[in-house]
Amino acid sequence: QVQLVESGGGLVQAGGSPRLSCAASGLTFSSYSMAWFRQAPGKEREPVMAISRRGSTTYYVDSVKGRFTISRDNGNNTVYLQMNSLKPEDTAVYYCAAKYSSIWYGNTPNYWGQGTQVTVSS
C-alpha cells in the first residue's frame, strides 16, 4: 500500500516562503525519482520540478526558476518543495508524484499524492 501524503499548503501572502512536504510510505523511496506537479483553476496539470533518486534536480518549469527548490531526504522518505517569493499565479493544488526510475521522465508517475492547496493572496 503506497501512500504519498503532502503537507504544508494553505493561505500565504505574496512574497511568502512556505515549504511543502511529501511523506512516502509503502515503497522503497530511494528507488524512485520524485516530482511536484500543480494544477491551477481552469488550467492543465503541469510539472513544476523533478528530482532524481540521488537528489539532482532534473526539471523545473521556467516560471519557478530562481524561486523554488526541490530536495529529498532518503533517510526520512520525504521530498520537499521550498517555495520562495510566491506570486498569486502560483495558486494551485500541488501534487507529489513518484516514478520508478533513476531520473524523472514523462508525465506518467507510478503514484500520485492527493494534493495540497496553496493559495497566494495579493
Side-chain angles (χ1 to χ4, degrees), residues 56-121:
S56 297
T57 299
T58 59
Y59 174 82
Y60 58 84
V61 66
D62 286 345
S63 60
V64 309
K65 182 180 180 180
R67 299 191 297 123
F68 291 10
T69 302
I70 191 169
S71 62
R72 67 189 295 162
D73 185 340
N74 286 350
N76 290 324
N77 290 1
T78 303
V79 63
Y80 304 95
L81 185 67
Q82 178 64 58
M83 309 165 69
N84 296 327
S85 302
L86 281 183
K87 305 174 181 179
E89 51 263 45
D90 294 317
T91 295
V93 177
Y94 284 73
Y95 297 90
C96 180
K99 191 173 184 69
Y100 190 76
S101 62
S102 58
I103 61 173
W104 191 273
Y105 66 92
N107 292 330
T108 55
N110 296 113
Y111 303 104
W112 289 99
Q114 294 300 306
T116 185
Q117 176 72 47
V118 176
T119 302
V120 184
S121 62

Side-chain angles (χ1 to χ4, degrees), residues 3-5 19 21-30 34 71-80:
Q3 285 191 291
L4 305 176
V5 181
R19 186 177 70 165
S21 298
C22 172
S25 60
L27 77 170
T28 303
F29 182 74
S30 61
M34 304 294 295
S71 62
R72 67 189 295 162
D73 185 340
N74 286 350
N76 290 324
N77 290 1
T78 303
V79 63
Y80 304 95

